Every structure is written in structure tokens, then in C-alpha cells.
Amino acid sequence: DANSNEPVNDFRFFVGVQGGEGQDISWKSSYKVTKRNDYEMRFTYPSDEYYIRVEAEGYEPEISRAISGGEGYVIVDFKLRKIMRVTGTEPSP
């Protein structure tokens, strides 16, 4: 959690690959992590660059920087920001 620095316990992460320059990221399978604040994964899709997207209920999704396939062991920390909910009522005409 970006505000409290406490772990976000239930989250999903997705592996992304970019097909080529200027192309959108193609998101592959998702993985769910519960009651832990770390994860480990291997990139198995052929690509020059990989991305990780993390999503959790009540938080904005966050996407990692591009990770090169030749970097070896990489640590990526995510600080998820809570979604700001706005409520109110419309004024009567």
C-alpha cells in the first residue's frame, strides 16, 4: 500500500509482452497471490521485453518498467495506490 507501506495481501499479477516497437502490450495469464507480500515468476513467452501488471481490489493497477529478457534475476517493488472514490449528489434544478 503506497500510503501505509503495509503489504497488500490479495492481488493478481499478469505477464505482459510487447510484440514490437509501437505495439500495445499483450497481457498473458494472471496469477493470484494471497496473504503474502512477495512472488516469484519466470518469463516463458518469447519477447525482448516483459512487463508485470499488478491489480488488487480497491487499488489502481500498476505496471512495471520494461524488463529485458537478458537481465537475469530482477526485483520489482510495487506500491499500489487506493482508488479515490468520489460520492455526492446532484443539485436540484
Side-chain angles (χ1 to χ4, degrees), residues 1 4 7 9 14 21 33-34 37 54 58 63 67 71 82 87:
D1 186 291
S4 69
N9 288 322
F14 300 79
E21 181 131 356
V33 178
T34 59
N37 62 0
V54 175
I63 299 174
I67 301 167
E71 285 187 58
K82 288 189 179 179
T87 60

Side-chain angles (χ1 to χ4, degrees), residues 43-59:
F43 296 120
T44 57
Y45 301 99
S47 181
D48 292 334
E49 294 183 334
Y50 299 91
Y51 298 84
I52 302 169
R53 184 178 80 222
V54 175
E55 295 181 358
E57 183 72 33
Y59 291 87

Side-chain angles (χ1 to χ4, degrees), residues 4-66:
S4 69
N5 286 326
E6 293 294 321
V8 175
N9 288 322
D10 296 324
F11 63 92
R12 296 183 80 78
F13 64 95
F14 300 79
V15 178
V17 295
Q18 198 163 23
E21 181 131 356
Q23 292 184 352
D24 290 336
I25 298 171
S26 174
W27 296 105
K28 305 299 182 187
S29 302
S30 70
Y31 305 88
K32 185 170 184 172
V33 178
T34 59
K35 301 202 177 14
R36 293 176 41 194
N37 62 0
D38 59 23
Y39 60 89
E40 187 171 318
M41 62 183 298
R42 294 179 188 267
F43 296 120
T44 57
Y45 301 99
S47 181
D48 292 334
E49 294 183 334
Y50 299 91
Y51 298 84
I52 302 169
R53 184 178 80 222
V54 175
E55 295 181 358
E57 183 72 33
Y59 291 87
E60 295 177 10
E62 187 168 340
I63 299 174
S64 72
R65 65 171 176 81

